[in-house]
Amino acid sequence: MTLATPVTPATMDLLAAAQLLRLASPALPIGGFAWSGGLEGAIAEGLVHDPASAQRWVHDLLVYGHGRWDAPLLFTMLTQPDRRADLNARYLASRETHELRAETLQTGGSLMRLL
């Protein structure tokens, strides 16, 4: 799609999808390549080697990572605004490495600028 492409229902869906993809990256709005969650290492070790193993990798990341800590914490922050400062401090303390903390801070800052 170019700047000269007419806006139609089909291109609106494409534009909406592109906007959603921007939210998937800590480097908003550049793309989803800044942080991989260890995917490169999993590929190098042969754990991810085809579409099915990539799907398992993403599933496990969502279910056992984001689904157990990040999503419930975000829900609580949204529904209990008086607890945000404490929950934010707990979340930052949960980042095990400097890289994870940097990813968290960059993602949050980028999302705040986007919103």
Short mmCIF file of all heavy atoms in Angstrom, two decimals, residues 1-55:
data_model
loop_
_atom_site.label_atom_id
_atom_site.label_comp_id
_atom_site.label_asym_id
_atom_site.label_seq_id
_atom_site.Cartn_x
_atom_site.Cartn_y
_atom_site.Cartn_z
N MET A 1 0.85 -1.16 0.00
CA MET A 1 0.00 0.00 0.00
C MET A 1 0.90 1.23 0.00
O MET A 1 1.90 1.28 0.69
CB MET A 1 -0.90 -0.01 1.22
CG MET A 1 -1.81 1.17 1.23
SD MET A 1 -3.20 1.17 2.39
CE MET A 1 -2.83 0.00 3.60
N THR A 2 0.55 2.21 -0.78
CA THR A 2 1.30 3.45 -0.87
C THR A 2 0.42 4.60 -0.41
O THR A 2 -0.77 4.43 -0.14
CB THR A 2 1.75 3.71 -2.32
OG1 THR A 2 0.60 3.96 -3.12
CG2 THR A 2 2.54 2.53 -2.87
N LEU A 3 1.00 5.78 -0.37
CA LEU A 3 0.21 6.95 0.00
C LEU A 3 -0.90 7.23 -0.98
O LEU A 3 -1.90 7.85 -0.65
CB LEU A 3 1.12 8.18 0.12
CG LEU A 3 2.12 8.13 1.28
CD1 LEU A 3 3.03 9.34 1.22
CD2 LEU A 3 1.40 8.08 2.61
N ALA A 4 -0.72 6.76 -2.24
CA ALA A 4 -1.74 6.99 -3.27
C ALA A 4 -2.84 5.94 -3.25
O ALA A 4 -3.82 6.06 -3.97
CB ALA A 4 -1.07 7.01 -4.64
N THR A 5 -2.70 4.90 -2.42
CA THR A 5 -3.71 3.85 -2.35
C THR A 5 -5.00 4.41 -1.78
O THR A 5 -5.00 5.03 -0.72
CB THR A 5 -3.23 2.69 -1.47
OG1 THR A 5 -1.99 2.21 -1.99
CG2 THR A 5 -4.24 1.57 -1.44
N PRO A 6 -6.13 4.22 -2.48
CA PRO A 6 -7.41 4.73 -1.95
C PRO A 6 -7.80 3.98 -0.68
O PRO A 6 -7.52 2.80 -0.53
CB PRO A 6 -8.40 4.48 -3.07
CG PRO A 6 -7.78 3.47 -3.95
CD PRO A 6 -6.29 3.56 -3.76
N VAL A 7 -8.43 4.66 0.24
CA VAL A 7 -8.89 4.05 1.48
C VAL A 7 -10.24 3.40 1.21
O VAL A 7 -11.21 4.06 0.85
CB VAL A 7 -8.99 5.08 2.62
CG1 VAL A 7 -9.55 4.44 3.86
CG2 VAL A 7 -7.64 5.70 2.88
N THR A 8 -10.27 2.09 1.36
CA THR A 8 -11.48 1.29 1.16
C THR A 8 -11.67 0.43 2.40
O THR A 8 -10.78 0.36 3.25
CB THR A 8 -11.34 0.38 -0.08
OG1 THR A 8 -10.30 -0.57 0.20
CG2 THR A 8 -10.98 1.17 -1.33
N PRO A 9 -12.80 -0.28 2.53
CA PRO A 9 -12.95 -1.19 3.68
C PRO A 9 -11.81 -2.19 3.77
O PRO A 9 -11.34 -2.49 4.86
CB PRO A 9 -14.30 -1.86 3.43
CG PRO A 9 -15.08 -0.84 2.67
CD PRO A 9 -14.06 -0.17 1.78
N ALA A 10 -11.33 -2.69 2.64
CA ALA A 10 -10.24 -3.67 2.67
C ALA A 10 -8.95 -3.03 3.18
O ALA A 10 -8.23 -3.62 3.98
CB ALA A 10 -10.03 -4.27 1.28
N THR A 11 -8.64 -1.82 2.71
CA THR A 11 -7.41 -1.18 3.18
C THR A 11 -7.56 -0.71 4.62
O THR A 11 -6.58 -0.63 5.35
CB THR A 11 -6.99 0.00 2.27
OG1 THR A 11 -8.03 0.95 2.21
CG2 THR A 11 -6.62 -0.48 0.89
N MET A 12 -8.77 -0.40 5.04
CA MET A 12 -8.98 -0.02 6.44
C MET A 12 -8.64 -1.19 7.36
O MET A 12 -8.03 -1.01 8.39
CB MET A 12 -10.42 0.43 6.67
CG MET A 12 -10.74 1.78 6.08
SD MET A 12 -9.75 3.11 6.81
CE MET A 12 -10.49 3.20 8.42
N ASP A 13 -9.02 -2.42 6.97
CA ASP A 13 -8.67 -3.59 7.76
C ASP A 13 -7.16 -3.74 7.82
O ASP A 13 -6.61 -4.06 8.87
CB ASP A 13 -9.29 -4.85 7.16
CG ASP A 13 -10.81 -4.89 7.35
OD1 ASP A 13 -11.33 -4.16 8.21
OD2 ASP A 13 -11.46 -5.64 6.62
N LEU A 14 -6.48 -3.52 6.72
CA LEU A 14 -5.03 -3.60 6.67
C LEU A 14 -4.41 -2.54 7.57
O LEU A 14 -3.48 -2.81 8.32
CB LEU A 14 -4.54 -3.45 5.23
CG LEU A 14 -3.06 -3.63 4.98
CD1 LEU A 14 -2.60 -5.01 5.42
CD2 LEU A 14 -2.75 -3.42 3.51
N LEU A 15 -4.94 -1.34 7.52
CA LEU A 15 -4.44 -0.27 8.37
C LEU A 15 -4.67 -0.58 9.85
O LEU A 15 -3.80 -0.35 10.69
CB LEU A 15 -5.10 1.07 8.00
CG LEU A 15 -4.70 1.66 6.66
CD1 LEU A 15 -5.59 2.85 6.32
CD2 LEU A 15 -3.24 2.07 6.67
N ALA A 16 -5.84 -1.11 10.16
CA ALA A 16 -6.13 -1.47 11.55
C ALA A 16 -5.17 -2.55 12.04
O ALA A 16 -4.66 -2.49 13.16
CB ALA A 16 -7.58 -1.93 11.67
N ALA A 17 -4.91 -3.54 11.20
CA ALA A 17 -3.98 -4.61 11.57
C ALA A 17 -2.57 -4.05 11.78
O ALA A 17 -1.88 -4.42 12.73
CB ALA A 17 -3.97 -5.69 10.49
N ALA A 18 -2.16 -3.13 10.90
CA ALA A 18 -0.84 -2.53 11.04
C ALA A 18 -0.74 -1.75 12.35
O ALA A 18 0.30 -1.79 13.03
CB ALA A 18 -0.55 -1.63 9.85
N GLN A 19 -1.79 -1.05 12.73
CA GLN A 19 -1.78 -0.30 13.99
C GLN A 19 -1.66 -1.25 15.18
O GLN A 19 -0.94 -0.97 16.13
CB GLN A 19 -3.04 0.55 14.12
CG GLN A 19 -3.12 1.69 13.14
CD GLN A 19 -2.08 2.78 13.41
OE1 GLN A 19 -1.29 2.71 14.33
NE2 GLN A 19 -2.08 3.78 12.56
N LEU A 20 -2.37 -2.38 15.14
CA LEU A 20 -2.27 -3.35 16.22
C LEU A 20 -0.88 -3.95 16.32
O LEU A 20 -0.36 -4.18 17.41
CB LEU A 20 -3.30 -4.46 16.03
CG LEU A 20 -4.74 -4.08 16.35
CD1 LEU A 20 -5.67 -5.23 16.01
CD2 LEU A 20 -4.88 -3.70 17.81
N LEU A 21 -0.25 -4.20 15.18
CA LEU A 21 1.10 -4.76 15.19
C LEU A 21 2.10 -3.81 15.85
O LEU A 21 3.08 -4.26 16.43
CB LEU A 21 1.55 -5.09 13.76
CG LEU A 21 0.88 -6.31 13.16
CD1 LEU A 21 1.30 -6.47 11.69
CD2 LEU A 21 1.23 -7.57 13.94
N ARG A 22 1.85 -2.52 15.76
CA ARG A 22 2.74 -1.56 16.42
C ARG A 22 2.79 -1.81 17.92
O ARG A 22 3.82 -1.58 18.55
CB ARG A 22 2.26 -0.13 16.16
CG ARG A 22 2.44 0.31 14.74
CD ARG A 22 1.84 1.66 14.50
NE ARG A 22 2.40 2.66 15.40
CZ ARG A 22 1.91 3.88 15.52
NH1 ARG A 22 0.86 4.25 14.83
NH2 ARG A 22 2.47 4.73 16.35
N LEU A 23 1.69 -2.28 18.49
CA LEU A 23 1.65 -2.52 19.93
C LEU A 23 2.45 -3.74 20.35
O LEU A 23 2.71 -3.93 21.53
CB LEU A 23 0.20 -2.67 20.39
CG LEU A 23 -0.67 -1.44 20.21
CD1 LEU A 23 -2.10 -1.75 20.61
CD2 LEU A 23 -0.12 -0.27 21.01
N ALA A 24 2.86 -4.56 19.40
CA ALA A 24 3.58 -5.78 19.73
C ALA A 24 5.06 -5.54 19.95
O ALA A 24 5.79 -6.46 20.28
CB ALA A 24 3.39 -6.81 18.61
N SER A 25 5.52 -4.33 19.80
CA SER A 25 6.95 -4.07 19.87
C SER A 25 7.32 -3.10 20.97
O SER A 25 6.70 -2.06 21.13
CB SER A 25 7.42 -3.49 18.54
OG SER A 25 8.75 -3.03 18.67
N PRO A 26 8.39 -3.41 21.72
CA PRO A 26 8.89 -2.46 22.69
C PRO A 26 9.54 -1.26 22.02
O PRO A 26 9.78 -0.25 22.64
CB PRO A 26 9.93 -3.23 23.49
CG PRO A 26 9.94 -4.60 23.00
CD PRO A 26 9.04 -4.70 21.81
N ALA A 27 9.86 -1.38 20.74
CA ALA A 27 10.49 -0.29 20.00
C ALA A 27 9.45 0.48 19.19
O ALA A 27 9.72 0.94 18.12
CB ALA A 27 11.56 -0.85 19.08
N LEU A 28 8.24 0.58 19.71
CA LEU A 28 7.14 1.22 19.00
C LEU A 28 7.60 2.48 18.29
O LEU A 28 8.31 3.26 18.88
CB LEU A 28 6.02 1.60 19.98
CG LEU A 28 5.40 0.45 20.75
CD1 LEU A 28 4.49 1.01 21.84
CD2 LEU A 28 4.62 -0.46 19.86
N PRO A 29 7.19 2.74 17.09
CA PRO A 29 6.41 1.92 16.17
C PRO A 29 7.28 1.19 15.15
O PRO A 29 6.84 0.87 14.06
CB PRO A 29 5.53 2.95 15.47
CG PRO A 29 6.44 4.14 15.36
CD PRO A 29 7.29 4.11 16.62
N ILE A 30 8.53 0.90 15.47
CA ILE A 30 9.48 0.37 14.49
C ILE A 30 9.14 -1.04 14.03
O ILE A 30 9.20 -1.35 12.86
CB ILE A 30 10.90 0.43 15.06
CG1 ILE A 30 11.30 1.88 15.24
CG2 ILE A 30 11.88 -0.28 14.15
CD1 ILE A 30 12.54 2.09 16.02
N GLY A 31 8.81 -1.93 14.92
CA GLY A 31 8.53 -3.30 14.53
C GLY A 31 8.87 -4.27 15.63
O GLY A 31 9.41 -3.87 16.66
N GLY A 32 8.63 -5.53 15.42
CA GLY A 32 8.77 -6.54 16.46
C GLY A 32 10.12 -7.21 16.56
O GLY A 32 10.19 -8.36 16.94
N PHE A 33 11.21 -6.51 16.25
CA PHE A 33 12.51 -7.16 16.22
C PHE A 33 13.44 -6.75 17.34
O PHE A 33 14.53 -7.26 17.46
CB PHE A 33 13.19 -6.91 14.87
CG PHE A 33 12.35 -7.38 13.72
CD1 PHE A 33 11.66 -6.49 12.94
CD2 PHE A 33 12.23 -8.73 13.45
CE1 PHE A 33 10.87 -6.92 11.89
CE2 PHE A 33 11.44 -9.18 12.41
CZ PHE A 33 10.77 -8.27 11.63
N ALA A 34 13.05 -5.79 18.18
CA ALA A 34 13.96 -5.29 19.20
C ALA A 34 14.16 -6.30 20.33
O ALA A 34 15.26 -6.45 20.83
CB ALA A 34 13.44 -3.97 19.76
N TRP A 35 13.14 -7.00 20.73
CA TRP A 35 13.22 -7.95 21.83
C TRP A 35 12.57 -9.26 21.38
O TRP A 35 11.49 -9.26 20.85
CB TRP A 35 12.49 -7.42 23.06
CG TRP A 35 12.90 -6.03 23.43
CD1 TRP A 35 12.25 -4.88 23.09
CD2 TRP A 35 14.04 -5.63 24.16
NE1 TRP A 35 12.90 -3.79 23.59
CE2 TRP A 35 14.03 -4.23 24.25
CE3 TRP A 35 15.09 -6.32 24.76
CZ2 TRP A 35 14.99 -3.50 24.91
CZ3 TRP A 35 16.06 -5.59 25.42
CH2 TRP A 35 16.01 -4.21 25.49
N SER A 36 13.22 -10.36 21.64
CA SER A 36 12.72 -11.63 21.12
C SER A 36 12.22 -12.58 22.18
O SER A 36 11.69 -13.62 21.86
CB SER A 36 13.83 -12.32 20.34
OG SER A 36 14.82 -12.80 21.25
N GLY A 37 12.45 -12.28 23.44
CA GLY A 37 12.06 -13.22 24.48
C GLY A 37 12.87 -14.51 24.44
O GLY A 37 12.42 -15.53 24.91
N GLY A 38 14.07 -14.45 23.88
CA GLY A 38 14.94 -15.63 23.81
C GLY A 38 14.74 -16.48 22.58
O GLY A 38 15.28 -17.58 22.48
N LEU A 39 13.98 -16.00 21.61
CA LEU A 39 13.69 -16.80 20.43
C LEU A 39 14.95 -17.15 19.64
O LEU A 39 15.09 -18.28 19.18
CB LEU A 39 12.69 -16.08 19.53
CG LEU A 39 12.26 -16.82 18.26
CD1 LEU A 39 11.63 -18.17 18.61
CD2 LEU A 39 11.29 -15.97 17.46
N GLU A 40 15.87 -16.19 19.51
CA GLU A 40 17.10 -16.50 18.77
C GLU A 40 17.84 -17.68 19.39
O GLU A 40 18.32 -18.57 18.69
CB GLU A 40 18.05 -15.29 18.70
CG GLU A 40 17.56 -14.19 17.82
CD GLU A 40 16.87 -13.10 18.61
OE1 GLU A 40 16.44 -13.37 19.76
OE2 GLU A 40 16.73 -11.99 18.08
N GLY A 41 17.92 -17.69 20.71
CA GLY A 41 18.58 -18.80 21.41
C GLY A 41 17.85 -20.11 21.20
O GLY A 41 18.48 -21.16 21.02
N ALA A 42 16.53 -20.08 21.21
CA ALA A 42 15.75 -21.30 20.99
C ALA A 42 15.96 -21.83 19.58
O ALA A 42 16.02 -23.04 19.37
CB ALA A 42 14.27 -21.02 21.25
N ILE A 43 16.07 -20.93 18.62
CA ILE A 43 16.35 -21.35 17.24
C ILE A 43 17.74 -21.95 17.15
O ILE A 43 17.95 -23.02 16.56
CB ILE A 43 16.17 -20.17 16.26
CG1 ILE A 43 14.69 -19.78 16.18
CG2 ILE A 43 16.73 -20.52 14.88
CD1 ILE A 43 14.44 -18.48 15.44
N ALA A 44 18.72 -21.28 17.77
CA ALA A 44 20.11 -21.77 17.73
C ALA A 44 20.23 -23.14 18.38
O ALA A 44 21.02 -23.97 17.94
CB ALA A 44 21.03 -20.76 18.42
N GLU A 45 19.45 -23.39 19.42
CA GLU A 45 19.49 -24.67 20.12
C GLU A 45 18.64 -25.74 19.46
O GLU A 45 18.61 -26.88 19.89
CB GLU A 45 19.07 -24.50 21.58
CG GLU A 45 20.02 -23.68 22.41
CD GLU A 45 21.37 -24.37 22.59
OE1 GLU A 45 21.39 -25.60 22.81
OE2 GLU A 45 22.39 -23.67 22.49
N GLY A 46 17.89 -25.36 18.41
CA GLY A 46 17.04 -26.31 17.71
C GLY A 46 15.68 -26.52 18.35
O GLY A 46 14.92 -27.39 17.91
N LEU A 47 15.35 -25.73 19.38
CA LEU A 47 14.04 -25.87 20.02
C LEU A 47 12.93 -25.35 19.12
O LEU A 47 11.81 -25.84 19.16
CB LEU A 47 14.02 -25.12 21.35
CG LEU A 47 15.02 -25.62 22.41
CD1 LEU A 47 15.04 -24.67 23.59
CD2 LEU A 47 14.65 -27.03 22.83
N VAL A 48 13.23 -24.32 18.34
CA VAL A 48 12.29 -23.77 17.37
C VAL A 48 12.91 -23.99 16.00
O VAL A 48 13.99 -23.49 15.71
CB VAL A 48 12.03 -22.27 17.62
CG1 VAL A 48 11.16 -21.69 16.51
CG2 VAL A 48 11.39 -22.06 18.98
N HIS A 49 12.22 -24.80 15.19
CA HIS A 49 12.80 -25.19 13.91
C HIS A 49 11.79 -25.29 12.78
O HIS A 49 12.17 -25.56 11.64
CB HIS A 49 13.53 -26.53 14.06
CG HIS A 49 12.68 -27.58 14.72
ND1 HIS A 49 11.74 -28.30 14.06
CD2 HIS A 49 12.62 -27.94 16.02
CE1 HIS A 49 11.13 -29.11 14.91
NE2 HIS A 49 11.65 -28.90 16.11
N ASP A 50 10.52 -25.08 13.08
CA ASP A 50 9.48 -25.13 12.05
C ASP A 50 8.25 -24.36 12.57
O ASP A 50 8.26 -23.91 13.72
CB ASP A 50 9.12 -26.58 11.70
CG ASP A 50 8.57 -27.38 12.87
OD1 ASP A 50 8.25 -26.79 13.93
OD2 ASP A 50 8.46 -28.60 12.73
N PRO A 51 7.23 -24.19 11.74
CA PRO A 51 6.06 -23.43 12.20
C PRO A 51 5.41 -24.00 13.45
O PRO A 51 4.99 -23.24 14.33
CB PRO A 51 5.11 -23.49 11.00
CG PRO A 51 6.02 -23.61 9.81
CD PRO A 51 7.15 -24.50 10.29
N ALA A 52 5.35 -25.31 13.58
CA ALA A 52 4.70 -25.90 14.76
C ALA A 52 5.49 -25.61 16.03
O ALA A 52 4.90 -25.27 17.07
CB ALA A 52 4.53 -27.41 14.57
N SER A 53 6.80 -25.72 15.97
CA SER A 53 7.60 -25.44 17.17
C SER A 53 7.59 -23.94 17.49
O SER A 53 7.63 -23.55 18.66
CB SER A 53 9.02 -25.97 17.02
OG SER A 53 9.68 -25.39 15.92
N ALA A 54 7.51 -23.08 16.47
CA ALA A 54 7.39 -21.63 16.71
C ALA A 54 6.05 -21.33 17.38
O ALA A 54 5.98 -20.51 18.30
CB ALA A 54 7.52 -20.86 15.39
N GLN A 55 4.99 -22.00 16.93
CA GLN A 55 3.68 -21.80 17.55
C GLN A 55 3.71 -22.24 19.01
O GLN A 55 3.17 -21.55 19.88
CB GLN A 55 2.61 -22.58 16.79
CG GLN A 55 1.22 -22.35 17.34
CD GLN A 55 0.15 -23.07 16.54
OE1 GLN A 55 0.43 -23.83 15.63
NE2 GLN A 55 -1.10 -22.82 16.89
#
